[in-house]
Amino acid sequence: MIFSNYVKKIPHKQSKVSDHVTVCVGYATKKPNSFMRIKDFIYQSDQALYMAKEEGRNRIKGFA
């Protein structure tokens, strides 16, 4: 999902990459159960963040 159309462009004058702040978000959602390990949940969120970054700026990726 691209959400740049919904975000106010905040200036970022010190950046060498973009003239405004950009955001990438990675998320994971799970229904808790007795077999779930928190480190696996965090790993999925981290992987989603890297997927979002690979696609470009202002992206959201996740696992549900």
Side-chain angles (χ1 to χ4, degrees):
M1 170 186 235
I2 303 170
F3 63 97
S4 59
N5 297 337
Y6 306 101
V7 178
K8 180 179 178 183
K9 292 189 177 185
I10 300 169
H12 192 326
K13 295 177 182 176
Q14 294 82 11
S15 175
K16 296 176 182 167
V17 177
S18 179
D19 61 348
H20 59 277
V21 175
T22 62
V23 177
C24 286
V25 176
Y27 70 89
T29 61
K30 291 242 184 217
K31 188 173 185 178
N33 63 48
S34 59
F35 302 106
M36 185 170 68
R37 297 185 317 177
I38 190 67
K39 71 179 193 174
D40 295 332
F41 182 69
I42 293 169
Y43 178 79
Q44 275 194 321
S45 297
D46 195 44
Q47 292 303 304
L49 176 59
Y50 284 108
M51 289 169 52
K53 287 181 174 185
E54 284 179 11
E55 287 190 8
R57 293 180 181 82
N58 294 323
R59 308 288 174 145
I60 300 173
K61 282 292 190 181
F63 295 101

